[in-house]
Amino acid sequence: MENSSSGGGIAYWMAEHQAVVGFRWSHAQSWGSTWSFLVSSLAAFALLAVAVHLFVRVLRLKPLPLGPIPAVHSLAMALASAAIFLGLLLSVAAEIRDTRWYWRGRSRTTAMQWLLCFPLGTRPSGRVFFWSYAFYLSRFVHLLRTFINILRRRRCALAAVFRHSAFVCMSFLWLEFSQSFQVVAILSATLTQTIVFGYRFWVGVGLPVAARSGAVLVLACQVALTGCNLVCHLGFLLLHFAKGGCNGIGAWVFNSVLNAALLFLFVDFYVKTEVKRNKNELMKDGGGSNHLHHSGSQRHHHNKHLAFEATKEQ
């Protein structure tokens, strides 16, 4: 009974509370909901990131010890992503239960179809869009990761400026145009981020991990996320043409271009990293072989010299 009560309490606060059910995306009431705020905040973020990067490069600073800051940021992102994932999942279940998600003026659609394709005229209000707004706000917390990478002198730190700004833009468009497909996108993104940032927190507090497990985990999550998105994008296009249109198709096209650019940056970075790593390993192996060969030649020459000296003594 205690577990059931606890579960019911979580479901209430995440899917039944008035603040969740009565949410409405509004330029007058929702913080960060205007185009001017989006443009000015991202411009300020980009300028500040470039300024910090130039400051670190000009002074030739070594990677700065940031103490517990990276671990605290990773923990905050992991907890926020987990909360958004669970809240959106419970909200989707509540929408299915309460409304059955009928298309206006059309026959009833299945839950999976609604997840991919909002009916035309859908307004950004209610449970699902409350958690979409929470995801949008979490993107601003995510921006802090850029400055952590810059101060740590990580490679491609400036590329993160574009990547993180693109995520803010996409989540804003989801709300502004009630874009279809966002439910699946948020669920997959928050699940991935819960795993990745949870791992980063684990490493940040000094707990043991396997060698190169971080790179493998990030790659596996990115591949799984990309594969899921590709399948869902195809399903969305089929529903768009079969059902007579899905809401927010223009925003979907723009976000698809951004996703393609982000995927290209990830693949390019991964390929360059692997090529450089393999090249370094080959150079190490080659250097080791040359060292062994040189050492063997020295030993052989020394043995010949000892034999010659022994012959002279005899």
Side-chain angles (χ1 to χ4, degrees):
M1 288 293 292
E2 183 178 352
N3 292 338
S4 175
S5 175
S6 175
I10 293 174
Y12 170 78
W13 287 106
M14 289 192 156
E16 304 295 343
H17 192 273
Q18 182 58 35
V20 178
V21 178
F23 171 79
R24 181 181 179 83
W25 171 258
S26 167
H27 290 178
Q29 298 178 359
S30 305
W31 182 85
S33 61
T34 62
W35 285 94
S36 58
F37 175 85
L38 177 70
V39 174
S40 59
S41 61
L42 291 183
F45 162 67
L47 289 174
L48 183 59
V50 172
V52 173
H53 177 75
L54 292 176
F55 178 78
V56 171
R57 291 292 295 272
V58 169
L59 296 183
R60 297 182 179 179
L61 299 177
K62 294 181 179 180
L64 298 178
L66 300 178
I69 294 177
V72 171
H73 180 263
S74 296
L75 178 61
M77 284 301 304
L79 293 176
S81 299
I84 294 170
F85 175 83
L86 180 59
L88 184 56
L89 200 63
L90 292 172
S91 295
V92 166
E95 290 291 340
I96 295 173
R97 181 198 66 216
D98 293 347
T99 68
R100 300 296 180 184
W101 281 343
Y102 283 93
W103 285 54
R104 294 181 179 86
R106 298 176 183 269
S107 60
R108 188 177 64 184
T109 184
T110 65
M112 181 55 66
Q113 289 174 340
W114 198 93
L115 287 173
L116 295 177
C117 182
F118 289 162
L120 293 175
T122 298
R123 302 286 185 178
S125 60
R127 300 180 179 96
V128 168
F129 289 97
F130 173 87
W131 291 108
S132 180
Y133 180 59
F135 182 80
Y136 167 64
L137 296 181
S138 73
R139 297 306 88 200
F140 290 96
V141 181
H142 193 207
L143 294 180
L144 297 176
R145 194 77 195 178
T146 303
F147 298 101
I148 293 174
N149 292 338
I150 292 174
L151 294 176
R152 283 178 157 185
R153 298 295 299 272
R154 294 288 176 86
R155 289 176 299 172
C156 299
L158 281 183
V161 175
F162 170 75
R163 186 170 65 252
H164 295 164
S165 298
F167 282 132
V168 175
C169 252
M170 284 190 287
S171 55
F172 177 87
L173 293 177
W174 289 345
L175 288 158
E176 184 69 11
F177 296 101
S178 304
Q179 184 196 315
S180 300
F181 187 77
Q182 64 176 283
V183 176
V184 175
I186 295 173
L187 287 174
S188 57
T190 50
L191 178 60
T192 301
Q193 289 172 2
T194 300
I195 297 171
V196 171
F197 280 105
Y199 173 85
R200 287 175 177 172
F201 171 74
W202 181 278
V203 174
V205 297
L207 296 174
V209 293
R212 298 198 70 227
S213 57
V216 174
L217 178 66
V218 172
L219 179 62
C221 288
Q222 186 66 37
V223 170
L225 183 61
T226 302
C228 174
N229 283 340
L230 285 176
V231 172
C232 291
H233 275 297
L234 291 175
F236 165 79
L237 284 175
L238 291 174
L239 288 173
H240 175 70
F241 291 109
K243 293 285 186 179
C246 298
N247 206 65
I249 186 64
W252 175 85
V253 172
F254 181 78
N255 281 339
S256 297
V257 173
L258 281 180
N259 277 318
L262 292 173
L263 180 60
F264 173 79
L265 288 175
F266 173 79
V267 172
D268 181 65
F269 172 75
Y270 177 76
V271 169
K272 287 181 178 178
T273 302
E274 286 299 307
V275 169
K276 186 174 182 179
R277 184 179 65 84
N278 292 334
K279 185 178 180 181
N280 290 337
E281 289 181 355
L282 288 174
M283 290 179 65
K284 288 180 182 179
D285 293 340
S289 300
N290 291 335
H291 178 70
L292 290 174
H293 177 71
H294 182 65
S295 300
S297 300
Q298 284 186 327
R299 285 196 300 270
H300 179 67
H301 178 72
H302 181 65
N303 290 338
K304 286 178 66 179
H305 178 71
L306 291 177
F308 177 71
E309 290 293 329
T311 303
K312 281 175 59 179
E313 290 177 0
Q314 288 179 354

